[in-house]
Amino acid sequence: SLNAAALAAYQMVNQDGSAAANEEDAFGASGGGDGKGKGKGKSKAPLVMPTGDLLAEVREFSARFNLGDRLTTKVMDTLRKRGDPDWRQDLAEMNRDLSKARNPSGLLITKLGDIQQKMNPGQLCFNYRAGTCTWGDKCRWSHNVATGL
């Protein structure tokens, strides 16, 4: 569920009286379809693909989750690098996942990192090059200096 400020921002963006009712349908905020509660094995809510242009969709997304200018710019820059069907898919997945998060901005940073990893799968870890990576084998970036993979 969303906090009151994010819900108010989302309702202001939609301005129609059915914004609160449509929120559960549009973004899967109802908690899943099987009614079994949280945990593994729960079916994910269906994705609702954005239909507008990138700028309008990111502004609505930022208003819904009460994101600051810095995060909004980061989302815009990351999605702009993706192709048309890809950014729509990524934004729909972020809407679905962030609607269930306790800390949407924290999860957003992780999701953006995953998208960047998809775009640059063999990118060398910046911290590893500096000798400061503490993630070891769990690091999402490459530690193979010879090939960059």
Side-chain angles (χ1 to χ4, degrees):
S1 67
L2 298 174
N3 61 23
L7 182 58
Y10 177 72
Q11 288 174 342
M12 283 180 31
V13 168
N14 285 329
Q15 289 298 321
D16 63 348
S18 63
N22 289 337
E23 179 180 354
E24 289 185 5
D25 296 336
F27 296 105
S30 61
D34 62 0
K36 292 183 180 179
K38 297 180 181 179
K40 294 182 180 177
K42 182 177 75 168
S43 64
K44 292 187 174 185
L47 290 179
V48 177
M49 301 300 279
T51 57
D53 65 328
L54 179 62
L55 181 60
E57 292 292 337
V58 170
R59 282 185 181 160
E60 182 178 334
F61 175 78
S62 296
R64 177 165 191 249
F65 293 108
N66 200 20
L67 303 177
D69 292 338
R70 183 180 64 84
L71 278 177
T72 302
T73 303
K74 193 167 188 170
V75 170
M76 179 65 83
D77 291 343
T78 302
L79 294 179
R80 187 176 287 143
K81 294 175 186 174
R82 304 281 284 167
D84 185 36
D86 292 334
W87 76 259
R88 292 180 191 280
Q89 177 77 20
D90 292 338
L91 192 60
E93 288 175 4
M94 286 191 292
N95 263 318
R96 181 193 63 208
D97 295 341
L98 268 62
S99 67
K100 300 174 190 170
R102 289 184 187 180
N103 180 7
S105 59
L107 182 59
L108 178 63
I109 297 294
T110 303
K111 292 290 183 183
L112 291 175
D114 292 344
I115 292 171
Q116 290 173 355
Q117 176 65 20
K118 286 182 202 173
M119 293 188 309
N120 301 318
Q123 186 173 356
L124 189 62
C125 175
F126 177 80
N127 291 322
Y128 183 76
R129 284 187 283 171
T132 59
C133 183
T134 58
W135 290 95
D137 292 339
K138 294 181 181 179
C139 183
R140 73 174 78 186
W141 307 107
S142 173
H143 286 186
N144 190 346
V145 178
T147 63
L149 300 172

